């Protein structure tokens, strides 16, 4: 190898990082039509221009340590230190390429860029593997290995022949000059406020703004804002003013005791994985995807405007069990020291003499689920280990048909009254279900609807068998989704309708005159504990964030949680505020 002396190493390295970000952006833009076929990408070249400032900021951070090592190596005449700078760059190169690939994968699944919440899922490798299809499990590692190998060779080809400058004067430019301006590059310019992701936003099409946003910079900023700061990042008003604002949201509640034939029913809470309202014809969704659920709506009590405050299953547990809305960047269920302080719906029923059961076909260790369920006071917790090997034909565990079989057989010998919670899993990515005849190349919306149709059939079999059991006639079924999903409608990630979910009360314990009713007032998933407890004649005072869904309110508003913002939706208005843009978006 011909060694060449070059004091422009820092400048060339800066341009190398900038070029790498540009290539990653082009790749992201090329995949947007695949992820969102209906999306108009008019004006996409401007993403390349608007992304430069954040690219420069990210590149400046990446250059900081290698530049320092290069200067020290030059002044000390020790090439070994320069070798450490090369090694550092290769580690950064590997991490960057991982971020690029991770960002593409997360964007397809969640519609958001790779952020702090997504990184936390690395602590649950079983869930990460289960969320990917078999094809993805082969392609993604192969892509990571091949891509890094090629980038590693490219780096060696560009920088492997560089020698250190012979005199300290040769590092004056650009070494010290770049070092002097590096802080300016990090903060993104001379403006009063350091740069943020809004510098890359230019379009009403959010995907183009995301394309312009540097994924490495965004991830590190998300981690930085995710709760490691001493100051509360979302406190905008003093407590006294907040109290006055919340008082305006108070409602008059009606007495739900008259709806049921008994105030001590069995409760079966069925949580349907990812069931967006777009799947339900009675909620304005597609026809014939979930026909059995639609048939239940004709004889139950349907709430047509219910929203989950979060978008992941681990956010559902505090919401449905504790009446606690989701938090930005965090999931409360992952903090064992905090969940012990929450009110628990299952514990309240247990204290009232109910037998409590939890049923899930998957791994209970995922997302600290088991710790939460134990704190919630469930006497019996059934997970993946309770199913035989031949029933575990899903990457997440046992499919829904076996889950509901287990529920029916267990409840047949469970003393009444009981409170049982069921969490399905077959409609979780990668949407692989038994009997599917879809080709592996089938698009995501079709796979999702096929999986939902399968779970709907499992529900039908479950209810057919349950109706023959002695406990059925004294049971209230509560069917609700853990969260919504961008597909099948192809909604944007910040669209409040991504949070629109079904909530149905069903059972012979509902008085005939109330069967088939629909309540159109806006409500939140976190208000389920208030509603169920009042129906069962128990106190809901500990659940202060919600009220019974049987209420009269002029314009009751519900909070929606985004990792980089918040939403507010009511009967007559809706609002989404994104912190990065520092503005309300349509």
């Amino acid at each position: 190898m011909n060694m060449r002396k070059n004091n422009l190493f820092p400048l060339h390295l800066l341009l190398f990082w900038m070029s790498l970000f540009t290539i990653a952006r082009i790749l992201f833009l090329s995949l947007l039509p695949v992820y969102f076929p209906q999306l108009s990408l008019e004006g996409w070249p401007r993403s390349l221009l608007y992304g430069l400032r954040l690219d420069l900021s990210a590149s400046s951070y990446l250059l900081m340590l290698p530049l320092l090592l290069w200067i020290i190596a030059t002044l000390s005449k020790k090439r070994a230190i320069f070798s450490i700078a090369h090694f550092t760059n290769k580690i950064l190169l590997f991490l960057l390429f991982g971020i690029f690939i991770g960002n593409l994968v997360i964007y397809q699944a969640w519609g958001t860029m790779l952020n702090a919440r997504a990184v936390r899922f690395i602590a649950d490798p079983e869930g990460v593997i289960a969320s990917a299809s078999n094809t993805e499990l082969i392609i993604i590692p192969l892509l990571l290995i091949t891509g890094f190998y090629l980038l590693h060779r490219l780096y060696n080809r560009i920088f492997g022949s560089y020698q250190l400058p012979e005199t300290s004067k040769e590092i004056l430019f650009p070494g010290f000059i770049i070092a002097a301006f590096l802080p300016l590059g990090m903060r993104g310019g001379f403006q009063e406020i350091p740069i943020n992701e809004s510098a890359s936003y230019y379009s009403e099409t959010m995907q183009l703004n995301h394309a312009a946003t540097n994924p490495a910079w965004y991830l590190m900023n998300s981690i930085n804002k995710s709760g490691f700061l001493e100051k509360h990042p979302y406190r905008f008003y003093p407590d006294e003013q907040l109290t006055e604002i919340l008082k305006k949201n108070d409602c008059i509640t009606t007495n739900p005791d008259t709806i049921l034939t008994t105030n001590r029913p069995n409760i079966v809470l069925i949580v349907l994985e990812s069931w967006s309202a777009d799947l339900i014809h009675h909620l304005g969704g597609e026809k014939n995807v979930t026909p059995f659920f639609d048939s239940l709506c004709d004889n139950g009590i349907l709430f047509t405007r219910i929203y989950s405050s979060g978008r992941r299953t681990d956010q559902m547990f505090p919401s449905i069990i504790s009446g606690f809305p989701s938090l930005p960047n965090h999931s409360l269920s992952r903090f064992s020291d905090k969940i012990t302080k929450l009110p628990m719906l299952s514990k309240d029923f247990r204290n009232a003499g109910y037998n409590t059961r939890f049923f899930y076909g998957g791994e209970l260790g995922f997302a600290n689920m088991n710790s939460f369920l134990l704190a919630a006071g469930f006497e019996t917790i059934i997970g993946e280990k309770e199913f035989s090997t031949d029933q575990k034909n899903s990457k997440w565990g046992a499919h829904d048909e076996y889950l509901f079989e287990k529920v029916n057989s267990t409840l047949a010998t469970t003393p009444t009254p009981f409170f049982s919670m069921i969490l399905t899993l077959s409609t979780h990515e990668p949407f692989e279900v038994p009997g599917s005849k879809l080709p592996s190349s089938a698009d995501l919306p079709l796979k999702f609807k096929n999986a939902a149709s399968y779970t709907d059939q499992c529900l039908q079999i479950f209810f057919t068998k349950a109706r023959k059991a002695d406990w059925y006639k004294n049971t209230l079924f509560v069917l609700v989704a853990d969260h919504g999903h961008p597909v099948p409608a192809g909604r944007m990630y910040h669209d409040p309708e991504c949070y629109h979910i079904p909530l149905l009360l069903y059972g012979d314990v509902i008085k005939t005159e109330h069967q088939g009713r629909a309540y159109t007032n806006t409500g939140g998933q976190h208000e389920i504990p208030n509603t169920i407890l009042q129906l069962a004649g128990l106190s809901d005072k500990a659940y202060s964030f919600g009220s019974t869904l049987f209420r009269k309110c002029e314009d009751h508003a519900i909070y929606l949680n985004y990792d980089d913002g918040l939403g507010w939706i009511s009967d007559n208005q809706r609002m989404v505020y994104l912190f990065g843009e520092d503005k309300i978006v349509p």
Side-chain angles (χ1 to χ4, degrees):
M1 179 184 295
N2 294 322
M3 303 297 289
R4 56 189 175 123
K5 179 183 67 176
N6 200 320
N7 64 340
L8 295 179
F9 171 76
L11 180 60
H12 291 170
L13 184 58
L14 181 69
L15 294 175
F16 176 76
W17 294 131
M18 293 282 288
S19 300
L20 196 62
F21 288 134
T22 300
I23 294 171
R25 180 167 295 110
I26 293 172
L27 176 61
F28 186 93
L29 284 165
S30 67
L31 288 176
L32 281 181
V34 179
Y35 293 167
F36 306 96
Q38 79 286 3
L39 189 67
S40 171
L41 295 180
E42 183 179 356
W44 69 265
R46 296 170 66 190
S47 295
L48 302 175
L49 176 63
Y50 276 82
L52 289 177
R53 288 184 64 197
L54 275 186
D55 288 352
L56 178 60
S57 178
S59 299
S60 298
Y61 280 105
L62 292 170
L63 184 62
M64 181 171 56
L65 181 57
L67 174 61
L68 177 62
L69 291 171
W70 180 77
I71 291 175
I72 294 174
T74 300
L75 294 177
S76 64
K77 308 296 184 183
K78 294 183 178 179
R79 185 168 177 83
I81 299 178
F82 191 31
S83 298
I84 296 175
H86 284 308
F87 181 72
T88 300
N89 286 332
K90 291 175 183 179
I91 292 177
L92 294 174
L93 191 62
F94 176 76
L95 293 175
L96 278 179
F97 190 66
I99 290 173
F100 296 156
I101 299 301
N103 188 53
L104 295 176
V105 173
I106 286 294
Y107 206 82
Q108 179 186 22
W110 292 7
T112 65
M113 298 185 67
L114 185 65
N115 55 26
R117 185 186 299 280
V119 170
R120 287 192 184 91
F121 276 87
I122 296 176
D124 300 301
E126 298 90 350
V128 174
I129 293 172
S131 296
S133 66
N134 292 327
T135 303
E136 289 171 333
L137 288 176
I138 296 172
I139 291 178
I140 293 175
L142 185 62
L143 184 62
L144 284 171
I145 294 170
T146 305
F148 177 67
Y149 171 75
L150 294 175
L151 287 174
H152 182 270
R153 291 199 61 179
L154 178 64
Y155 179 89
N156 285 337
R157 185 176 183 86
I158 296 174
F159 297 105
S161 61
Y162 278 60
Q163 289 182 318
L164 291 172
E166 295 179 356
T167 65
S168 58
K169 290 183 180 179
E170 292 183 74
I171 66 172
L172 180 62
F173 180 83
F176 286 136
I177 293 179
I178 289 180
F181 281 94
L182 211 56
L184 184 64
M186 293 176 184
R187 78 186 310 275
F190 292 98
Q191 72 280 352
E192 184 177 351
I193 301 174
I195 194 172
N196 57 52
E197 56 262 41
S198 64
S200 299
Y201 285 29
Y202 70 93
S203 173
E204 292 184 358
T205 302
M206 190 59 63
Q207 286 85 349
L208 292 179
N209 296 331
H210 291 160
T213 303
N214 185 285
W217 190 99
Y218 182 87
L219 173 61
M220 297 312 297
N221 188 50
S222 174
I223 293 174
N224 182 53
K225 295 190 301 185
S226 64
F228 298 107
L229 302 175
E230 293 183 4
K231 182 181 178 182
H232 194 306
Y234 306 113
R235 183 175 292 278
F236 300 108
Y237 297 98
D239 290 344
E240 298 78 11
Q241 190 172 355
L242 284 173
T243 301
E244 292 300 318
I245 293 173
L246 291 174
K247 281 183 179 179
K248 298 177 181 179
N249 204 39
D250 288 344
C251 292
I252 301 173
T253 61
T254 58
N255 186 358
D257 295 343
T258 59
I259 292 174
L260 303 184
T261 58
T262 175
N263 64 353
R264 198 170 172 80
N266 302 313
I267 304 290
V268 176
L269 173 59
I270 303 175
V271 181
L272 301 161
E273 169 67 49
S274 301
W275 270 41
S276 165
D278 290 321
L279 295 171
I280 314 299
H281 181 53
H282 275 65
L283 297 177
E286 298 194 26
K287 294 182 179 179
N288 300 322
V289 177
T290 57
F292 178 72
F293 185 92
D294 280 314
S295 71
L296 294 182
C297 294
D298 293 330
N299 297 293
I301 298 176
L302 179 66
F303 295 88
T304 63
R305 288 179 55 82
I306 300 298
Y307 294 82
S308 64
S309 56
R311 295 189 62 202
R312 308 307 303 173
T313 302
D314 58 339
Q315 296 173 291
M316 170 274 296
F317 283 102
S319 182
I320 288 182
I321 298 297
S322 301
F324 201 99
S326 302
L327 301 174
N329 294 307
H330 289 289
S331 173
L332 194 59
S333 62
R334 292 175 179 264
F335 294 85
S336 299
D337 59 327
K338 297 184 183 297
I339 59 180
T340 57
K341 301 175 183 178
L342 295 174
M344 296 289 184
L345 180 62
S346 44
K347 188 176 291 184
D348 286 340
F349 275 107
R350 183 174 178 177
N351 292 338
Y354 280 63
N355 290 282
T356 55
R357 306 281 187 269
F358 178 84
F359 300 88
Y360 181 51
E363 172 56 52
L364 292 170
F366 179 69
N368 205 38
M369 185 187 300
N370 195 50
S371 296
F372 189 93
L373 296 172
L374 288 171
F378 283 101
E379 297 167 275
T380 301
I381 302 174
I382 292 177
E384 183 182 20
K385 294 180 181 179
E386 304 295 326
F387 297 87
S388 61
T389 303
D390 61 329
Q391 292 176 325
K392 297 177 184 178
N393 57 346
S394 165
K395 297 171 68 175
W396 276 99
H399 261 304
D400 290 347
E401 59 183 286
Y402 305 114
L403 171 68
F404 284 119
E405 281 182 10
K406 180 71 71 174
V407 174
N408 268 322
S409 62
T410 303
L411 293 186
T413 59
T414 300
T416 58
F418 55 72
F419 172 82
S420 294
M421 180 175 177
I422 306 164
L423 175 59
T424 70
L425 56 70
S426 294
T427 40
H428 196 291
E429 296 93 343
F431 310 129
E432 297 172 351
V433 295
S436 175
K437 298 180 180 179
L438 294 175
S440 59
S441 60
D443 62 35
L444 201 62
L446 184 58
K447 287 182 178 179
F448 181 51
K449 287 187 288 186
N450 184 62
S453 179
Y454 163 78
T455 297
D456 187 66
Q457 294 172 45
C458 295
L459 272 176
Q460 184 174 11
I461 295 171
F462 166 70
F463 272 93
T464 299
K465 294 181 178 179
R467 288 189 176 106
K468 301 175 184 178
D470 293 337
W471 54 263
Y472 179 84
K473 288 189 176 297
N474 195 49
T475 301
L476 176 67
F477 296 90
V478 182
L479 296 93
V480 65
D482 57 347
H483 53 78
H485 205 287
V487 296
R491 298 189 182 279
M492 305 300 121
Y493 121 88
H494 60 280
D495 184 347
E497 294 308 306
C498 279
Y499 295 74
H500 189 194
I501 58 174
L503 172 59
L504 175 69
L505 306 183
Y506 182 83
D508 289 355
V509 293
I510 299 175
K511 291 181 179 179
T512 305
E513 60 267 29
H514 294 284
Q515 294 180 11
R517 292 190 60 180
Y519 284 80
T520 60
N521 50 296
T522 303
Q525 178 192 59
H526 68 282
E527 297 180 295
I528 290 175
N530 304 83
T531 305
I532 295 178
L533 286 169
Q534 289 195 29
L535 284 170
L538 300 176
S539 173
D540 68 330
K541 289 184 179 179
Y543 303 83
S544 57
F545 286 99
S547 63
T548 175
L549 292 168
F550 298 98
R551 59 173 169 241
K552 295 179 180 179
C553 230
E554 289 187 3
D555 197 22
H556 186 68
I558 294 299
Y559 152 81
L560 307 176
N561 166 62
Y562 298 82
D563 289 343
D564 57 352
L566 57 87
W568 205 251
I569 188 165
S570 69
D571 296 342
N572 301 318
Q573 56 186 329
R574 56 190 246 174
M575 178 275 291
V576 174
Y577 175 82
L578 298 182
F579 298 124
E581 289 191 78
D582 192 23
K583 68 176 183 179
I584 295 174
V585 297

